Amino acid sequence: MHEEMSSTASQTMLNQSLFEDQDLSSQLGFFPIHSNFTSFQLGCSQSLKNFAMLPPSLAVDAPVTLSESFALKQKEEIPYQSAGSQFLSSQRSTANYWAWDEMNDTMSIKRSGEENYLGVSAMKMKKIKTRRKVREPRFCFKTLSDIDVLDDGYKWRKYGQKVVKNTQHPRSYYRCTQDNCRVKKRVERLAEDPRMVITTYEGRHVHSPSHDEDDSQASSQFSNFFW
DNA sequence: CGTGTTTGACCAGCGC
DNA sequence: GCGCTGGTCAAACACG
């Protein structure tokens, strides 16, 4: 079930996606994905959307402990590579995705009809909720790539660059070029491992990805569904 | 000429 | 209040 995954995985590795708790990145397994545009976009859209699908009360606050809780749960109940493979194979089957279960307040992996319960309780998470001021939902993921700005299907305009403390690589700031869309993203290289690109998204797109021409296969419908 | 990037200046939040 | 830091602005510039 995972053979197709491992065989097609290339240099681009999408590591876990979580809000902004980068310190926890080492706790999650790697999610290998294809380096071509479509695959990246799908993997990206799904993982991002999954978190965006959290109840608003959680999504806007993104307490660190929520990420931690989720990471640990994932570790316990689904093996690293297995989780990654299942998740990514959804690119083809279109039946695999993380989902927030409104009825049961749980995070799940739905897969072709069956469902793997991750056991993250919303009630538990609500307790964790902190009093930080409300802001746009954020998530970040780590990618092993030579390219700084990965093509995620949206058009971005760079509006700033900053050298952050204790890093030798500058952080770049991008804004979605679409009118009325206030989504931003930050791109920087990991200080400890410059081969890794940290991409942080903030906010939600109010439109579909802007494909240039090759709007083929399931990419657009997937993106629309999740994003 | 339109669009996107670069980059120094500016601003706001935070800790001391 | 002051200094540090991250984030944003906007004028200048580059490019097709």
Side-chain angles (χ1 to χ4, degrees):
Chain A
M1 159 193 214
H2 304 141
E3 316 84 76
E4 85 174 59
M5 191 51 241
S6 52
S7 63
T8 52
S10 63
Q11 305 75 17
T12 303
M13 306 272 284
L14 175 65
N15 200 352
Q16 109 287 23
S17 59
L18 35 83
F19 288 100
E20 49 187 338
D21 185 15
Q22 295 176 16
D23 293 338
L24 285 165
S25 58
S26 60
Q27 295 187 31
L28 288 170
F30 282 84
F31 296 151
I33 62 171
H34 306 169
S35 59
N36 65 56
F37 164 74
T38 302
S39 295
F40 173 76
Q41 182 199 12
L42 288 178
C44 206
S45 298
Q46 288 191 43
S47 63
L48 307 186
K49 185 63 179 184
N50 292 329
F51 284 91
M53 285 169 68
L54 286 169
S57 59
L58 296 171
V60 297
D61 224 11
V64 167
T65 40
L66 167 61
S67 302
E68 192 166 24
S69 164
F70 179 64
L72 293 175
K73 274 296 177 188
Q74 184 178 5
K75 253 177 130 175
E76 287 168 15
E77 303 184 19
I78 297 180
Y80 276 2
Q81 294 304 328
S82 172
S85 299
Q86 287 174 6
F87 167 60
L88 290 163
S89 65
S90 63
Q91 297 169 34
R92 293 224 155 69
S93 69
T94 72
N96 243 7
Y97 54 93
W98 297 93
W100 182 260
D101 186 336
E102 298 262 2
M103 293 295 289
N104 301 313
D105 281 345
T106 57
M107 181 75 81
S108 313
I109 288 182
K110 294 180 184 291
R111 174 163 48 92
S112 304
E114 40 180 312
E115 184 170 323
N116 293 322
Y117 169 56
L118 285 182
V120 180
S121 161
M123 297 305 289
K124 180 181 174 183
M125 289 192 277
K126 275 169 187 166
K127 284 183 191 166
I128 302 170
K129 193 175 170 208
T130 60
R131 50 291 101 194
R132 257 187 282 171
K133 77 175 177 186
V134 175
R135 64 182 170 201
E136 295 292 318
R138 285 188 187 180
F139 51 81
C140 70
F141 58 90
K142 200 164 65 175
T143 308
L144 179 60
S145 172
D146 294 333
I147 307 166
D148 284 345
V149 185
L150 299 159
D151 193 344
D152 54 9
Y154 292 91
K155 278 190 78 176
W156 303 93
R157 182 196 200 95
K158 189 174 184 176
Y159 66 90
Q161 180 170 302
K162 195 86 178 176
V163 176
V164 293
K165 199 183 172 189
N166 297 326
T167 62
Q168 60 270 57
H169 296 91
R171 173 184 294 167
S172 299
Y173 300 89
Y174 297 86
R175 217 190 313 265
C176 183
T177 58
Q178 190 78 22
D179 286 343
N180 303 321
C181 184
R182 294 164 50 224
V183 178
K184 288 178 277 192
K185 77 170 176 182
R186 296 194 309 236
V187 177
E188 62 194 298
R189 293 217 167 251
L190 196 59
E192 306 84 65
D193 185 0
R195 298 172 305 163
M196 305 297 289
V197 178
I198 305 288
T199 306
T200 304
Y201 289 85
E202 180 175 336
R204 272 181 96 158
H205 291 283
V206 297
H207 58 96
S208 302
S210 53
H211 298 286
D212 292 336
E213 56 260 34
D214 59 335
D215 197 10
S216 60
Q217 300 178 356
S219 67
S220 61
Q221 71 182 56
F222 232 117
S223 302
N224 290 341
F225 177 76
F226 278 106
W227 213 212

